[in-house]
Amino acid sequence: MRISTWNVNGLRARLDFARLWLTDRSPDIVGLQELKLPDDEFPHEFFNELGYQAVVHGQKSWNGVAILARDGIELKQVGLPGGEDMGARLITAEVGGLEFTTVYCPNGKTLTHEDYGRKLAWYDALIEHWRTADRNTAAVLCGDFNIVPQALDSWRGSDADGDIFHTDAERDRLNALLQCGLHDLYRVSAPDEQAFSWWDYRGGAFHRKHGLRIDFILGTDAVRDRLQGVQIDRDYRKKQDGLTASDHAPVIAEIA
DNA sequence: ATGGCTCTCGCGGAGAGA
């Protein structure tokens, strides 16, 4: 089974590109982030024709998450309890024998912006939700976390420590989440490799290898024990057939 | 040191993203 996460940076602008990716990679379950459209504009027909059902938590202009799957997708949770003031950023479904959650964690903007404190508070709500919910033993939490776990995951290495995305306060939250019994499946698969999932559109960042690893697939012990490999699909950060890519690459995990 | 691009809304230019 192939599970994946992908911040599409605007679903309407990415539809033709998404068709290419889904057809080429054939993932079984996909967590999507940054839809930037309301629920009633989600293109269900488009995905049905490609063989996918969808559950959606959207909003106008900003944020928005969805889960795509072949069939048997059962909606379980829409929105993060205690985090709704930050927009549509969490959705959970039971699918393929997994409890599958995808999140679009807040950006925080800058260390002095009020959104930075709201980002940390949103993470606290996510940790509390994950800690207290009745949970399938085979659970996945994937998405755009907007935190760089360690120096290896930033093109600037430890020089970026303390900057937004790289602060101790943010990393403490990510670690607290992992201590709820989750594993960063990319790091399980490749403990010492450097690979990025996001590159700025500006200044040729992709070709200069100026990226960050901020998109993760986290899994419980039961998922980790079935892990066969994880790929960050950087080919799909490149233009395809003249179509513009998202600034995030998809991440794909193969589960037995 | 700064901004460098792309998206949305909506029709002009601004805000957000990371």
Side-chain angles (χ1 to χ4, degrees):
Chain A
M1 182 167 57
R2 193 170 294 172
I3 64 176
S4 60
T5 181
W6 189 22
N7 178 323
V8 294
N9 185 24
L11 185 59
R12 277 184 295 241
R14 210 67 58 215
L15 277 186
D16 289 334
F17 194 101
R19 180 196 285 111
L20 293 179
W21 181 71
L22 289 168
T23 303
D24 187 18
R25 303 309 197 201
S26 295
D28 297 295
I29 310 175
V30 187
L32 297 174
Q33 306 90 37
E34 274 208 270
L35 306 179
K36 299 186 178 180
L37 50 72
D39 286 359
D40 62 8
E41 291 183 33
F42 188 89
H44 286 279
E45 287 283 313
F46 174 88
F47 289 109
N48 292 347
E49 287 169 10
L50 293 170
Y52 293 92
Q53 304 294 313
V55 291
V56 182
H57 184 28
Q59 77 179 75
K60 183 179 168 71
S61 307
W62 309 116
N63 309 316
V65 288
I67 299 169
L68 307 179
R70 298 292 186 185
D71 53 27
I73 184 167
E74 182 185 340
L75 183 59
K76 183 168 177 184
Q77 173 76 33
V78 174
L80 173 64
E84 297 91 340
D85 62 320
M86 293 296 279
R89 296 178 179 274
L90 179 146
I91 190 167
T92 300
E94 291 281 348
V95 58
L98 294 175
E99 181 181 306
F100 189 94
T101 299
T102 197
V103 289
Y104 174 47
C105 302
N107 174 301
K109 295 190 176 72
T110 64
L111 297 184
T112 54
H113 196 284
E114 66 171 357
D115 280 8
Y116 177 67
R118 299 176 76 200
K119 174 182 190 175
L120 299 179
W122 190 91
Y123 258 96
D124 288 339
L126 178 62
I127 293 159
E128 184 64 15
H129 175 61
W130 200 266
R131 184 178 286 143
T132 57
D134 179 31
R135 197 162 298 295
N136 186 327
T137 56
V140 167
L141 174 57
C142 68
D144 174 358
F145 288 79
N146 277 327
I147 295 177
V148 175
Q150 51 183 328
L152 180 62
D153 300 306
S154 175
W155 67 276
R156 292 170 56 216
S158 56
D159 289 351
D161 287 350
D163 290 358
I164 186 82
F165 286 44
H166 309 71
T167 65
D168 288 343
E170 290 166 302
R171 287 171 169 167
D172 286 349
R173 265 68 177 191
L174 186 57
N175 286 327
L177 196 55
L178 294 171
Q179 282 160 19
C180 294
L182 290 165
H183 306 276
D184 176 350
L185 297 186
Y186 175 76
R187 275 284 162 252
V188 172
S189 167
D192 304 312
E193 283 178 34
Q194 184 170 65
F196 305 134
S197 65
W198 173 86
W199 296 260
D200 201 308
Y201 281 125
R202 298 169 292 185
F206 182 77
H207 295 288
R208 293 152 69 104
K209 307 187 190 309
H210 290 183
L212 305 174
R213 192 174 71 88
I214 54 176
D215 300 271
F216 319 133
I217 303 175
L218 311 182
T220 57
D221 290 356
V223 174
R224 178 204 54 190
D225 292 346
R226 293 160 56 190
L227 186 65
Q228 295 181 313
V230 180
Q231 302 301 322
I232 302 183
D233 201 354
R234 66 189 299 285
D235 278 353
Y236 280 88
R237 176 58 179 78
K238 303 174 185 172
K239 196 172 283 254
Q240 302 285 336
D241 293 356
L243 300 169
T244 301
S246 171
D247 45 356
H248 295 253
V251 182
I252 303 171
E254 194 79 39
I255 305 293

